[in-house]
Amino acid sequence: MDLWTKRVAGIIAQVALLLSSSHRTTGEEVCDSALLSNLPPSSFRSSSQLSSSHAPGFAKVNRRDGAGGWSPLTSDRYQWLEVDLGERTKITAVATQGRYGSSDWLTSYLLMFSDTGHNWKQYRQEDSIGSFPGNSNADSVVQYKLQQPVIARFLRLIPLDWNPNGRIGLRLETYGCPFTSDVMSLDGDSSSLVFKLSPGTRQTSRDVVSLQFKTLKNSGTLLHVEGEGGLELSLELERGKLLLLLRKGRTSSSEPRRLASLGSLLDDQHWHHLAFERRSSHLNLTVDKHTERVQIPAEFSHWDIKQLSVGPVQSLGSQKQIVSKRNFHGCLENLHFNGLNLIELVKHKYHQVTVMGNVTFSCAEPVSVAVTFPGPQSFLQLPAATASSSGGVSIGFQFRTWNKAGLLLTFELAREGGMVWLYLSEARLWLQIHKTGRALLELSAGSALNDGQWHSVELISRRGRLSIAVDREDGGSAQASPSFPVAIESQVFFGGCPAEEDSQQCRNPFNVFQGCMRLLTLENQNVDLILVQQKQLGVYSNLQIDMCGIIDRCSPSRCEHGGLCSQSWTMFHCNCSDIGYSGATCHSSVYEQSCEAYKHNGNTSGHFYIDVDGSGPIKPQLVYCNMTEENTWMVIQHNNTELTRVRPSPGVNQRSVHFDYSTEEEQLSAAISQSEHCEQELSYHCRKSRLLNTPEGSPFSWWFGGHGPGTLQTYWGGAQPGSQQCACGLQGDCVDPQHYCNCDADRMEWAEDSGLLTHKENLPVRSLVLGDVQRPGSEATYRVGALRCHGDKNFWNAAFFDKETSYLHFPTFHAELSADVSFLFKTTAASGVFLENLGIKDFIRIELSSSTQVVFSFDVGNGPLEVQVESSVPLNDNRWHRVRAERNVKEASLRLDGLPVATQEAPADGHFHLQLNSQLFIGGTASRQKGFRGCIRSLQLNGVTLDLEERAKITPGVRPGCPGHCSSYGSFCQNQGRCVERANGFHCDCGLSAYTGVFCNTDVSASFKSGTSVSYTFKEPYELSRNSSALPSSIYSDTTLRGENVSLSFRTNQSPAVLFYVSSYYREYLALLINKHDKLEVRYKLDSSREAEVLRSRVRSLANGQLHTVSIRRQADSVTVQIDKNPREDFNLTSDGEFNAIKSLVLGRVHGSDDLDPDLARVASLGYTGCLSVVNFNSISPLKAALLHPDTSPVVITGPLLHSNCGSSASANPYAAENTHHLSDHSGSVGSGEPLVNAIRTDSALIGGVIAVVIFVIVSGLVVTARFLYRRKETYRNQEVKGVKQEDSQDFPFNNQTDSQNVSCENPKEYFI
């Protein structure tokens, strides 16, 4: 046959194979034929039968032969019915029926499948549920469609429960269709299959390899793909997991790179499905039902596959195999590559496919019978074999488990009366021998034996030497030479002990063993576990024989967001440490979703992690939340927010600058999207450096902004997108009317174009390209500020429900494995349903069941479950309350406000897929009963906010938005701050408070020097009848008083000193001072004809440099004084109790003290050196007025007044408000001054720099001279006074060692009047 004929034959063969594959695929669409009805009785087997008329061959649905079905001799959970289908068959459904005309039927059962009649595998629904629901009578047929079809030859049904008034009775049917396959077996040595693509084969951008495999070996190379350039991909088994490895050339130094790991326990000798799909930029790797998308290196995007091999790797161009211990040993089925059945091609001797070594086209499997110990009552008791002449012990077995602890075996010592225990503890193997309550011997070997892998154990005692070994040469061993013989008395117990108490032969002080065992040997004789199952050997309880029921609950991991999964035999655990999520599966974020949310938790400015999508996939990000303004700003920094000089590079006409932000792309886009407003400063300072040219010309500079790398923008800060203008062009005030930017005037003077970019779709600024910077004389600087956003559209999205029958509806809530719902509500109603979504049987509902209780209820198929939280206060108080409910495969939880979380564990082996199909109802139910009346806000499902407002606009009975927030958040406004309602949220008005800040909790403090005086003037007498001021009430007050409330904080080392002085037009006064004994004195003179009354506090050491708080209250002639947390002191005045026509209030030095007593006048003239903070006189805050409103308040400031944080206590809030310098939002200006930049100045600026230095030196000299003269005068005055403590330092007179921390963080601002 010539070459052309061979090629034609090959093409015809491929077409025929493809057509046959297509025909098979269409033929598999219907697969529901009855499989058992035509089988002979010999195809049925059972554990036992009640009689010959109850034989298993009569167990066919709707048949009445014999006694009408199968019944075993005894009804217990060790019975089974087995069917041999004759060949491997695809099974899609199972149906059961009770025994005809009887009270015998099953109510639940297990299904097992096998290819060989051994090594059974339990079928599990949703990877969790083992049992199937059975019948409720003897006649009806209950059919269950398998969620995943099973391919097997043998089927075994194990009864779990039956009619309590009858016995086990069963008729059975299975449904499916024939299954055809091509199978081959590789021996793990030299056998292999190699498929080489023809050199002229047209390559595609998509390659697909699929196959089924089974093996007993936990390691081996399953598939190897080689292509151009020495690039190789291989799929390898490693400890029962499948690894996807990448190699670049098969050299000794080329370490493979792991791209993915998938699957687990793949060495269980059951068929596993594998699919490998290569696309241009990624791979889809599927093992059984789980698929993982894997990004691949760029060089694979145009990678052409040249060879595919199974078994020993044979490199391209070489006939020599690379033999390894890691070669695959097992069976392959239906190995397909891009639609070609490679095993079938081998059978037809297709020239591109070759096999080597011992390859057979069947799957011969070794019989290995395992036993599963599932629970507390599990044990296996075996008689000891005939002892050898030496009287020793030889026991061997293999085990696998996830538990760290458990008894493996125990026996009683012959003639010695002691006990031998072989057990696991902390995942190590231990041997203990006890006698009369004390340990005679202890050995240990191995480590990490709870990894789910098979481990071999040998316990041998011969000729006075005792040894234990784990995994032979790969593990560890330990030996001892006991002084007593070690031999078995009569019985060996594996896994645990019988339930009988005080058993002398078996005692278990350890945990029971949960796991699998196989290959048991006693005295080198194999233990036949099938005889055990048939109760012909030994005794057992609660065992699953001829199967290993191990499940890997961490593959795939149910732990979300990178949580670490660990497991035991019955459960898994998620470690959520340091990932920002919490809960049983690390589902819920521990962070708020915005700065706005943090503010409404009572936080103040600081750095916070925000999680914009809650439990969604976007990771938390660290931002700065600035809460010092009316709006709460989120600030996201990038790598250069400073004013930066443009430095021209030789040969480069443009300067390009890129900005890297402190958050990732996905986080940044989501944060911008959910904000109501975002802005970013963009400024350009120029001298003979043009910016945008004209709208008709090509711009010299541009920037990129928005998602990803950004889109090109040719407008500047303060202008509109697409305008190719700056802010001055939009406002019409550019320096040159012919241009639309100040810099485009191209002048030698410094100019500026700056402003805010506010169009969110163009933010953030990603890069900046500056063009006109190379001409002689051109100079420029630029600044791109931090991204600032405020408002949270999701946080305030609300709806008001008028009636019980009103509701909003949304698409079905899809949350099969994990669901979280969070929202805020407020109501005056005592009950109502917040949320409901129904399925056929499943449902989820959250409701206010009473005025003090919220209930979260759901059903995923295991029956309804409820989680409820009871509040000690009514919830229908028309205040906002927060609800957070979560349901996952492990538990359900419910949180209400700050109350302890309530949880309800999910069944260990129950349904866990939540299957809903109705619409999602908000504020009501499908039946329009028990609806909710009130407000629901910020409703989020799995981190996605539902737009209640938009849906409410078109829904009768529901209104968008919900006003009235001060009832909930008004308590945040402290220190007499007043809560003011806003459409979205609230605002604290601090007009009546001596404090400032977002919550009126930031103290207003100042440092006083001896010459400092703050004088606050009350109304003149002729103004009393006039109402001429619209200023806040903290500026003016009534001038005749029958009582005062005075409060302030101070810190000083000076005594005596006047802290506070109020005078009147009738020579009356109130003075607060520290006397020479460092005690507080309050002096009242309310009658000008009498001496002042002096009230002395007993509290000592007030001039110690520490912060002290004083509160004075007078009502008529009754005065109370409280200092810090000392007991309150009460005093009584003898005067009439009226303070008439008050004139002024003075802090610091008192000028013109003619009305004072001589000794008080002398102290008042000294001034005050120290700190005053939050000074309050009735509704007047004179210090706040002087510092924050000096131009609009009736205050006069003399001398230096330093705005300071000296009034902050040592235990200040770590998130205290900071002085943050915000970016300017002005449109730009023109001037002759060069901008200050963080850069070395160039020679072109030398002249301007010299001039600036000269001016600075002259001004500095004048300031120093003036300050020196002032100091001379102040020193002279201080020297005239005796008894006054000397200043500790010039800048902070009351500083001492204990206050150094407060001093170092001070940011003073000095006011000179």
Side-chain angles (χ1 to χ4, degrees):
M1 185 182 293
D2 58 14
L3 180 61
W4 184 85
T5 305
K6 288 183 178 179
R7 287 186 175 177
V8 171
I11 293 172
I12 293 173
Q14 290 191 32
V15 171
L17 288 173
L18 290 173
L19 289 174
S20 64
S21 299
S22 174
H23 174 73
R24 289 176 187 173
T25 303
T26 57
E28 292 176 351
E29 292 178 359
V30 178
C31 188
D32 57 1
S33 302
L35 302 176
L36 306 188
S37 57
N38 296 324
L39 291 178
S42 59
S43 297
F44 295 78
R45 296 176 58 235
S46 66
S47 53
S48 65
Q49 61 189 47
L50 185 61
S51 67
S52 59
S53 60
H54 295 80
F58 298 123
K60 296 183 179 180
V61 164
N62 293 327
R63 297 287 184 89
R64 302 180 182 181
D65 305 339
W70 166 71
S71 284
L73 181 61
T74 57
S75 292
D76 58 34
R77 291 190 171 188
Y78 301 111
Q79 307 303 320
W80 47 265
L81 174 69
E82 181 182 313
V83 181
D84 181 1
L85 299 175
E87 60 183 359
R88 294 183 68 216
T89 305
K90 186 173 183 178
I91 303 169
T92 59
V94 176
T96 59
Q97 190 178 26
R99 193 167 61 83
Y100 175 73
S102 72
S103 300
D104 305 339
W105 62 82
L106 303 182
T107 57
S108 67
Y109 59 92
L110 301 180
L111 276 181
M112 305 285 183
F113 295 97
S114 172
D115 282 351
T116 62
H118 292 289
N119 188 32
W120 295 91
K121 184 172 185 178
Q122 181 179 344
Y123 182 86
R124 290 181 174 271
Q125 311 165 58
E126 304 177 11
D127 296 331
S128 174
I129 307 164
S131 63
F132 286 77
N135 302 87
S136 58
N137 55 54
D139 298 323
S140 60
V141 176
V142 176
Q143 180 175 327
Y144 190 89
K145 186 175 181 180
L146 304 184
Q147 294 176 347
Q148 295 290 330
V150 173
I151 297 170
R153 174 179 172 180
F154 295 90
L155 176 148
R156 179 176 284 186
L157 186 148
I158 300 176
L160 287 180
D161 295 294
W162 48 91
N163 179 19
N165 298 319
R167 58 188 307 123
I168 294 174
L170 176 64
R171 286 177 285 176
L172 179 67
E173 182 59 272
T174 62
Y175 302 89
C177 55
F179 175 76
T180 57
S181 65
D182 295 288
V183 180
M184 63 181 292
S185 178
L186 289 84
D187 62 6
D189 293 327
S190 60
S191 57
S192 65
L193 178 149
V194 179
F195 174 67
K196 294 183 179 180
L197 277 72
S198 302
T201 303
R202 184 177 65 87
Q203 298 295 327
T204 64
S205 60
R206 178 176 179 266
D207 292 300
V208 179
V209 180
S210 65
L211 57 93
Q212 280 72 240
F213 70 92
K214 69 160 56 176
T215 181
L216 271 175
K217 303 293 184 181
N218 67 355
S219 297
T221 301
L222 183 58
L223 187 68
H224 183 79
V225 183
E226 190 170 347
E228 292 180 336
L231 295 176
E232 303 175 6
L233 286 174
S234 62
L235 290 168
E236 300 185 7
L237 286 174
E238 179 67 47
R239 295 174 61 82
K241 296 180 180 290
L242 189 71
L243 308 183
L244 175 62
L245 302 178
L246 163 67
R247 288 185 176 88
K248 296 183 179 180
R250 194 166 271 279
T251 62
S252 58
S253 61
S254 63
E255 283 295 322
R257 173 184 167 191
R258 179 186 294 191
L259 298 180
S261 174
L262 205 59
S264 179
L265 307 175
L266 301 178
D267 57 339
D268 58 0
Q269 205 178 356
H270 292 289
W271 288 108
H272 295 281
H273 171 69
L274 168 63
F276 171 90
E277 180 186 17
R278 180 186 73 92
R279 293 185 177 269
S280 57
S281 61
H282 68 274
L283 298 171
N284 290 329
L285 180 62
T286 300
V287 176
D288 295 329
K289 296 180 293 183
H290 309 296
T291 301
E292 184 171 331
R293 179 187 173 106
V294 183
Q295 290 297 124
I296 56 177
E299 55 263 38
F300 278 87
S301 59
H302 302 290
W303 184 56
D304 290 339
I305 295 178
K306 299 300 182 183
Q307 177 177 293
L308 182 148
S309 60
V310 179
V313 177
Q314 178 179 315
S315 298
L316 280 171
S318 171
Q319 299 299 318
K320 184 178 180 181
Q321 292 181 339
I322 303 174
V323 181
S324 168
K325 292 182 180 180
R326 298 175 55 86
N327 293 335
F328 176 74
H329 183 193
C331 303
L332 300 180
E333 180 179 63
N334 294 341
L335 173 59
H336 289 182
F337 173 69
N338 289 347
L340 295 177
N341 187 332
L342 300 187
I343 298 177
E344 189 170 351
L345 292 180
V346 171
K347 293 179 180 178
H348 289 81
K349 302 187 185 305
Y350 189 59
H351 68 280
Q352 287 182 261
V353 186
T354 58
V355 294
M356 301 179 185
N358 184 22
V359 175
T360 59
F361 296 103
S362 62
C363 187
E365 303 179 49
V367 176
S368 175
V369 179
V371 57
T372 303
F373 296 77
Q377 287 77 41
S378 302
F379 75 92
L380 171 60
Q381 175 182 341
L382 294 174
T386 304
S388 61
S389 58
S390 61
V393 175
S394 176
I395 302 175
F397 61 93
Q398 292 185 359
F399 76 91
R400 72 191 314 175
T401 184
W402 299 117
N403 290 359
K404 291 183 177 182
L407 178 69
L408 294 173
L409 68 86
T410 180
F411 57 85
E412 188 179 10
L413 283 176
R415 299 185 300 275
E416 293 293 320
M419 294 297 298
V420 176
W421 290 304
L422 188 67
Y423 63 97
L424 292 175
S425 178
E426 293 300 319
R428 290 176 59 85
L429 182 69
W430 291 84
L431 175 72
Q432 276 192 16
I433 299 180
H434 269 238
K435 185 178 180 182
T436 62
R438 65 187 185 91
L440 301 179
L441 184 144
E442 188 172 82
L443 297 176
S444 175
S447 61
L449 300 178
N450 65 327
D451 57 1
Q453 304 297 309
W454 284 109
H455 297 284
S456 64
V457 176
E458 292 179 337
L459 168 60
I460 299 175
S461 176
R462 289 284 186 270
R463 300 181 181 86
R465 189 163 185 83
L466 177 66
S467 67
I468 56 172
V470 181
D471 296 335
R472 296 182 178 175
E473 67 272 9
D474 297 329
S477 61
Q479 298 85 29
S481 298
S483 59
F484 49 87
V486 177
I488 303 171
E489 176 66 27
S490 60
Q491 303 288 325
V492 180
F493 295 86
F494 289 88
C497 292
E500 294 85 5
E501 296 182 0
D502 300 325
S503 172
Q504 294 299 315
Q505 289 186 322
C506 185
R507 297 194 303 274
N508 181 14
F510 310 102
N511 295 333
V512 296
F513 174 72
Q514 290 177 297
C516 300
M517 291 189 186
R518 71 180 182 186
L519 303 180
L520 277 68
T521 62
L522 292 176
E523 299 303 331
N524 298 319
Q525 299 294 316
N526 293 329
V527 176
D528 189 342
L529 292 174
I530 299 301
L531 292 179
V532 173
Q533 185 182 39
Q534 296 170 350
K535 299 187 177 180
Q536 300 178 27
L537 175 65
V539 179
Y540 69 91
S541 172
N542 194 29
L543 297 184
Q544 296 172 338
I545 297 177
D546 205 2
M547 66 171 290
C548 179
I550 190 171
I551 301 172
D552 192 341
R553 289 177 167 82
C554 288
S555 179
S557 175
R558 303 296 184 191
C559 303
E560 303 178 48
H561 300 108
L564 299 179
C565 183
S566 59
Q567 62 185 315
S568 65
W569 185 260
T570 56
M571 61 184 295
F572 71 94
H573 172 72
C574 295
N575 183 351
C576 310
S577 301
D578 302 323
I579 64 172
Y581 296 87
S582 65
T585 58
C586 309
H587 175 79
S588 298
S589 178
V590 301
Y591 302 116
E592 299 292 349
Q593 293 185 251
S594 65
C595 291
E596 189 89 1
Y598 276 112
K599 173 188 174 181
H600 287 80
N601 284 343
N603 297 95
T604 53
S605 298
H607 286 90
F608 296 90
Y609 278 98
I610 65 170
D611 196 332
V612 291
D613 68 340
S615 60
I618 301 177
K619 297 179 181 178
Q621 55 184 315
L622 183 65
V623 302
Y624 182 78
C625 296
N626 183 0
M627 304 179 195
T628 60
E629 302 179 22
E630 186 170 341
N631 290 318
T632 301
W633 290 93
M634 173 184 65
V635 183
I636 300 178
Q637 298 287 346
H638 58 75
N639 57 329
N640 181 20
T641 57
E642 302 294 335
L643 192 62
T644 305
R645 186 183 301 281
V646 180
R647 298 190 176 281
S649 302
V652 179
N653 294 326
Q654 293 177 336
R655 171 71 185 275
S656 180
V657 185
H658 296 272
F659 303 101
D660 297 322
Y661 288 81
S662 58
T663 60
E664 298 178 5
E665 171 64 31
E666 196 175 22
Q667 299 168 331
L668 198 55
S669 298
I672 293 173
S673 176
Q674 82 169 13
S675 299
E676 293 179 357
H677 170 83
C678 290
E679 63 185 39
Q680 196 166 11
E681 184 195 38
L682 180 60
S683 64
Y684 191 68
H685 300 256
C686 56
R687 185 163 73 174
K688 206 163 181 58
S689 176
R690 293 162 293 179
L691 187 57
L692 298 181
N693 202 354
T694 64
E696 296 76 22
S698 299
F700 293 103
S701 302
W702 55 88
W703 54 277
F704 291 86
H707 186 72
T711 55
L712 189 146
Q713 306 294 335
T714 57
Y715 71 101
W716 210 249
Q720 296 296 318
S723 64
Q724 199 168 317
Q725 294 184 11
C726 299
C728 70
L730 186 67
Q731 298 169 3
D733 58 358
C734 293
V735 62
D736 185 346
Q738 300 299 317
H739 294 88
Y740 297 98
C741 294
N742 290 319
C743 289
D744 289 342
D746 202 22
R747 296 188 176 186
M748 287 301 296
E749 298 85 3
W750 279 98
E752 177 187 359
D753 286 298
S754 63
L756 294 175
L757 304 170
T758 58
H759 292 80
K760 292 201 303 179
E761 61 272 15
N762 296 334
L763 296 177
V765 178
R766 302 286 183 175
S767 58
L768 192 62
V769 179
L770 304 174
D772 192 20
V773 294
Q774 294 287 4
R775 291 185 299 154
S778 293
E779 292 184 83
T781 62
Y782 67 88
R783 174 163 51 206
V784 175
L787 176 69
R788 303 175 70 230
C789 299
H790 73 73
D792 182 349
K793 295 187 295 185
N794 298 333
F795 190 72
W796 295 111
N797 194 297
F800 176 72
F801 298 83
D802 287 350
K803 308 172 185 176
E804 284 191 7
T805 56
S806 60
Y807 61 84
L808 297 176
H809 61 84
F810 290 87
T812 305
F813 181 29
H814 293 289
E816 284 75 12
L817 294 178
S818 57
D820 76 277
V821 181
S822 66
F823 59 91
L824 294 101
F825 77 90
K826 68 174 182 174
T827 184
T828 57
S831 64
V833 175
F834 299 120
L835 172 149
E836 181 183 84
N837 206 160
L838 305 177
I840 298 175
K841 292 183 179 179
D842 298 1
F843 72 88
I844 183 172
R845 183 184 300 113
I846 305 176
E847 63 183 309
L848 182 68
S849 61
S850 72
S851 62
T852 58
Q853 188 180 73
V854 174
V855 176
F856 172 37
S857 56
F858 62 93
D859 189 348
V860 295
N862 305 311
L865 284 177
E866 279 192 358
V867 189
Q868 56 190 30
V869 175
E870 187 80 25
S871 172
S872 59
V873 297
L875 301 173
N876 58 342
D877 55 358
N878 206 28
R879 296 186 178 187
W880 287 115
H881 298 280
R882 187 174 186 181
V883 175
R884 287 170 288 181
E886 180 186 345
R887 179 259 153 192
N888 53 59
V889 297
K890 283 183 68 70
E891 67 178 24
S893 64
L894 179 64
R895 294 176 184 268
L896 174 63
D897 295 333
L899 298 174
V901 60
T903 59
Q904 177 80 44
E905 288 190 11
D909 288 322
H911 294 271
F912 53 73
H913 282 276
L914 178 63
Q915 298 173 342
L916 306 173
N917 54 23
S918 76
Q919 289 183 318
L920 170 65
F921 291 87
I922 305 299
T925 64
S927 62
R928 295 199 172 192
Q929 296 178 351
K930 298 177 61 178
F932 171 74
R933 288 186 295 111
C935 291
I936 296 179
R937 174 164 69 85
S938 188
L939 174 61
Q940 296 182 329
L941 279 65
N942 279 348
V944 178
T945 301
L946 298 188
D947 195 343
L948 302 178
E949 293 188 354
E950 197 64 31
R951 189 62 61 95
K953 292 176 182 177
I954 58 174
T955 305
V958 186
R959 298 201 303 265
C962 193
H965 306 295
C966 281
S967 60
S968 302
Y969 303 117
S971 60
F972 290 150
C973 298
Q974 304 172 30
N975 303 305
Q976 298 180 326
R978 184 173 60 91
C979 183
V980 179
E981 293 284 356
R982 297 173 60 185
N984 288 340
F986 72 101
H987 169 65
C988 291
D989 180 2
C990 306
L992 297 177
S993 173
Y995 290 77
T996 186
V998 65
F999 297 132
C1000 306
N1001 60 352
T1002 303
D1003 57 82
V1004 179
S1005 309
S1007 292
F1008 282 70
K1009 302 295 181 66
S1010 59
T1012 306
S1013 175
V1014 175
S1015 178
Y1016 183 98
T1017 303
F1018 296 94
K1019 292 179 181 178
E1020 298 291 336
Y1022 63 84
E1023 293 183 299
L1024 295 181
S1025 61
R1026 298 173 56 188
N1027 186 16
S1028 59
S1029 175
L1031 292 173
S1033 58
S1034 59
I1035 305 301
Y1036 292 112
S1037 177
D1038 293 336
T1039 56
T1040 298
L1041 307 173
R1042 289 194 57 80
E1044 301 87 37
N1045 285 328
V1046 180
S1047 63
L1048 58 85
S1049 297
F1050 68 91
R1051 187 199 301 262
T1052 187
N1053 286 324
Q1054 176 184 338
S1055 65
V1058 174
L1059 300 175
F1060 181 95
Y1061 173 71
V1062 181
S1063 64
S1064 85
Y1065 289 97
Y1066 297 109
R1067 302 177 65 85
E1068 298 172 355
Y1069 67 82
L1070 163 63
L1072 179 66
L1073 66 145
I1074 300 173
N1075 62 25
K1076 62 182 180 180
H1077 304 295
D1078 289 3
K1079 292 183 178 182
L1080 185 74
E1081 285 188 9
V1082 182
R1083 296 194 181 188
Y1084 269 106
K1085 187 172 183 179
L1086 302 184
D1087 187 343
S1088 58
S1089 63
R1090 300 173 59 182
E1091 294 291 326
E1093 298 185 63
V1094 181
L1095 313 179
R1096 293 187 177 89
S1097 170
R1098 294 185 295 272
V1099 179
R1100 299 174 177 272
S1101 304
L1102 296 181
N1104 59 358
Q1106 302 296 314
L1107 187 67
H1108 299 284
T1109 300
V1110 178
S1111 176
I1112 302 169
R1113 285 180 171 81
R1114 181 181 72 89
Q1115 187 64 39
D1117 61 350
S1118 177
V1119 180
T1120 63
V1121 177
Q1122 182 159 11
I1123 302 175
D1124 298 331
K1125 295 182 179 180
N1126 294 292
R1128 191 181 70 182
E1129 300 174 87
D1130 297 320
F1131 302 90
N1132 287 308
L1133 301 177
T1134 60
S1135 56
D1136 63 358
E1138 278 200 353
F1139 196 178
N1140 297 299
I1142 59 173
K1143 178 174 64 175
S1144 64
L1145 183 156
V1146 179
L1147 304 175
R1149 181 189 291 267
V1150 180
H1151 299 284
S1153 54
D1154 298 337
D1155 298 337
L1156 296 179
D1157 301 329
D1159 59 333
L1160 182 59
R1162 182 176 57 81
V1163 176
S1165 65
L1166 299 176
Y1168 170 72
T1169 301
C1171 173
L1172 286 179
S1173 176
V1174 289
V1175 181
N1176 196 73
F1177 178 78
N1178 291 342
S1179 60
I1180 306 298
S1181 304
L1183 186 60
K1184 178 180 175 182
L1187 292 175
L1188 304 184
H1189 311 288
D1191 299 328
T1192 58
S1193 303
V1195 293
V1196 177
I1197 305 173
T1198 306
L1201 182 66
L1202 299 176
H1203 192 178
S1204 167
N1205 66 350
C1206 61
S1208 300
S1209 62
S1211 58
N1213 189 327
Y1215 297 111
E1218 299 180 13
N1219 290 330
T1220 305
H1221 299 282
H1222 299 304
L1223 305 173
S1224 61
D1225 57 0
H1226 56 273
S1227 61
S1229 60
V1230 179
S1232 60
E1234 180 184 1
L1236 297 176
V1237 297
N1238 288 340
I1240 301 175
R1241 305 191 187 281
T1242 57
D1243 293 339
S1244 61
L1246 182 59
I1247 297 175
V1250 170
I1251 295 172
V1253 169
V1254 170
I1255 294 173
F1256 176 79
V1257 169
I1258 294 172
V1259 173
S1260 300
L1262 293 173
V1263 170
V1264 170
T1265 303
R1267 190 167 182 82
F1268 175 76
L1269 294 175
Y1270 179 84
R1271 283 290 180 87
R1272 287 284 302 272
K1273 182 178 179 181
E1274 185 178 58
T1275 304
Y1276 175 76
R1277 286 182 177 178
N1278 287 342
Q1279 287 173 348
E1280 290 182 337
V1281 181
K1282 299 184 186 245
V1284 179
K1285 296 184 179 179
Q1286 297 299 313
E1287 297 178 354
D1288 292 338
S1289 68
Q1290 294 178 350
D1291 295 327
F1292 202 33
F1294 47 93
N1295 175 39
N1296 60 19
Q1297 192 64 32
T1298 60
D1299 292 313
S1300 59
Q1301 230 178 355
N1302 291 323
V1303 178
S1304 63
C1305 64
E1306 189 175 321
N1307 182 18
K1309 297 178 182 177
E1310 198 160 347
Y1311 294 83
F1312 290 96
I1313 302 296

